[in-house]
Amino acid sequence: MINIFKSIPRIFSFSGKTSWAWYLILPALVLNNGCQSKQKPVLTPAVASEAIKAPVPDTTTKKVTPPPDTLAKAEAKKLAPDSLATAKPVAKDPPGWPVKMPNALPGAILPEKRIVAFYGNPLSKRMGILGELEPEQMFAQLDKEVAAWEKADPSTPVQPAFHVIVVTAQGEPGKGAKYRLRMSDHVAEKVIGWAEQKGAIVFLDLQIGRSTLQEEIPRLEPFLKLPNVHLGIDAEFAMNSTGVPGRRVGSYDAADINYATSFLASLVDKYQIPPKLLIVHRFTQRMITNYKNIKLDPRYQIVMHMDGWGNQVLKKDTYRAYIQKEPVQYTGFKIFYKNDKRKPGWRIMTPEDVLKLNPKPLYIQYQ
């Protein structure tokens, strides 16, 4: 097994009155060497043209010359074997793709657009780009990434987004021994305000520790009922009733994901709003169990998001092993500004690199 570990950042945050707490994250990227796959070489079709001249008519024998188009067809028939040898093979979809899913409802974002999101918490400079830079600098960087994706894939409009952690996993039990800290509403309100300035959408992300989605999601209804606010759940920090965040990787079952989507569907019905998005973080096999039991419904759209750092080979193989090979609905891919280039020879993947994946991710997150 190959293990890749993200950095261990700390964050100060508050809930209600100003209070401070340590925040601990330890993402891990576990990859089986056996999942590495070699791509078949792609042949580039040869581009050739040959002028075909009609022969001069023989007036002595009054031989009739076939029309030029007939000659062209005859010559093309002679060239057919060679052209077949250089023909580009047709790429096949991986097993299970494209996923059979309900028709999208009006206002659905996917698959018409690609989402490019900045991740983090405005209270921390170490959790991601969302809080690392001052707002105006961060906005400019987001604009730069959006432009790069629009250039790489002009056929797919880009929807900018902010992905903010509103429940953070903790290394200590804390109040109620839940190993999680809820942010005050001020954090979500600030990021939603930024989104209004940038024409962006917002994802509220949950790292629940020993809490449950049933405890954490309903309290976010005042925000989730807004048409531009969506949900993210991080399986890495879902400890159930045992375990400590950072000491092992957590997990969600299909039943947990189905609870989250059913709650989102109820909001769509209750408030008559467009379909909701659910982002599910994943980078190991055990983080998501019973994926085949995850339910689809036109009132929400699910993105299985590859959330692991490392060199390009590891990131691509992780995507294939845990996202591509266990199809749910749509896919996401994460770029780390620092960890993806932390070792010599590593570099950050470009939009062109990511677009070579199959299926092409429609949710891109930068940390």
Side-chain angles (χ1 to χ4, degrees):
M1 300 293 287
I2 297 176
N3 293 287
I4 288 189
F5 292 91
K6 300 179 186 174
S7 58
I8 308 175
R10 292 181 177 179
I11 177 176
F12 293 107
S13 57
F14 58 88
S15 177
K17 296 182 180 180
T18 302
S19 61
W20 300 95
W22 290 106
Y23 167 76
L24 174 65
I25 307 178
L26 181 58
L29 177 61
V30 182
L31 177 66
N32 192 323
N33 280 328
C35 71
Q36 295 187 9
S37 59
K38 297 181 180 179
Q39 291 183 338
K40 295 181 180 179
V42 179
L43 300 177
T44 304
V47 179
S49 62
E50 182 178 349
I52 301 175
K53 297 181 181 180
V56 178
D58 186 349
T59 55
T60 59
T61 60
K62 296 184 180 181
K63 184 178 179 180
V64 178
T65 302
D69 64 335
T70 305
L71 288 172
K73 292 177 182 177
E75 194 67 21
K77 187 175 293 185
K78 294 178 183 178
L79 293 174
D82 292 335
S83 62
L84 287 174
T86 58
K88 184 176 180 179
V90 177
K92 295 182 178 179
D93 290 320
W97 298 94
V99 173
K100 294 181 180 179
M101 65 183 78
N103 292 329
L105 293 177
I109 294 176
L110 304 177
E112 298 303 319
K113 295 181 180 180
R114 174 172 285 108
I115 300 166
V116 173
F118 271 12
Y119 171 92
N121 185 297
L123 302 178
S124 171
K125 294 185 178 294
R126 301 184 65 184
M127 290 186 68
I129 189 67
L130 188 66
E132 186 175 342
L133 302 177
E134 292 300 318
E136 291 304 323
Q137 291 177 292
M138 186 262 292
F139 295 163
Q141 181 68 22
L142 179 58
D143 289 341
K144 180 180 177 181
E145 300 296 357
V146 167
W149 278 95
E150 288 176 336
K151 180 179 179 181
D153 183 9
S155 65
T156 308
V158 175
Q159 171 63 65
F162 298 121
H163 196 123
V164 56
I165 308 163
V166 295
V167 175
T168 64
Q170 303 290 298
E172 299 295 333
K175 186 177 180 180
K178 297 293 186 180
Y179 288 86
R180 59 95 173 95
L181 181 66
R182 293 171 173 172
M183 299 289 101
S184 74
D185 289 351
H186 171 72
V187 172
E189 290 166 353
K190 174 183 284 190
V191 176
I192 291 171
W194 289 348
E196 291 175 353
Q197 296 180 48
K198 297 297 297 179
I201 61 175
V202 173
F203 293 91
L204 305 181
D205 201 79
L206 304 179
Q207 301 174 352
I208 65 171
R210 291 189 187 178
S211 184
T212 65
L213 294 176
Q214 286 83 353
E215 288 182 74
E216 303 302 329
I217 293 178
R219 60 181 292 270
L220 299 176
E221 180 171 342
F223 299 117
L224 291 173
K225 71 180 183 180
L226 302 175
N228 68 327
V229 178
H230 305 271
L231 184 64
I233 56 175
D234 198 336
E236 179 181 358
F237 302 106
M239 298 290 108
N240 298 313
S241 60
T242 61
V244 176
R247 296 185 186 176
R248 67 174 176 84
V249 177
S251 68
Y252 279 128
D253 186 73
D256 301 306
I257 296 171
N258 289 339
Y259 167 75
T261 53
S262 67
F263 186 88
L264 295 177
S266 70
L267 296 182
V268 172
D269 291 337
K270 182 177 179 179
Y271 297 104
Q272 293 298 292
I273 52 179
K276 288 293 181 182
L277 286 155
L278 176 68
I279 309 299
V280 182
H281 300 252
R282 186 180 193 183
F283 56 85
T284 73
Q285 184 71 39
R286 295 180 180 179
M287 283 177 72
I288 304 297
T289 57
N290 299 310
Y291 80 95
K292 292 182 179 180
N293 295 334
I294 296 174
K295 299 176 182 178
L296 301 182
D297 186 284
R299 292 170 293 179
Y300 54 79
Q301 300 182 303
I302 301 173
V303 174
M304 301 303 294
H305 175 52
M306 200 296 284
D307 178 16
W309 60 265
N311 62 40
Q312 291 196 37
V313 173
L314 290 174
K315 291 176 72 78
K316 291 176 182 178
D317 282 347
T318 302
Y319 180 85
R320 295 186 187 105
Y322 310 131
I323 306 298
Q324 179 200 92
K325 289 186 178 181
E326 296 196 356
V328 176
Q329 190 171 21
Y330 297 105
T331 71
F333 197 85
K334 191 165 190 173
I335 304 294
F336 291 80
Y337 281 118
K338 296 179 180 178
N339 286 340
D340 282 353
K341 60 177 184 180
R342 67 183 299 178
K343 293 186 178 181
W346 291 11
R347 68 173 178 84
I348 294 174
M349 292 177 68
T350 65
E352 289 78 8
D353 294 329
V354 178
L355 287 170
K356 293 177 183 177
L357 297 170
N358 189 4
K360 292 179 174 60
L362 286 175
Y363 173 84
I364 309 298
Q365 187 182 95
Y366 287 87
Q367 179 170 338

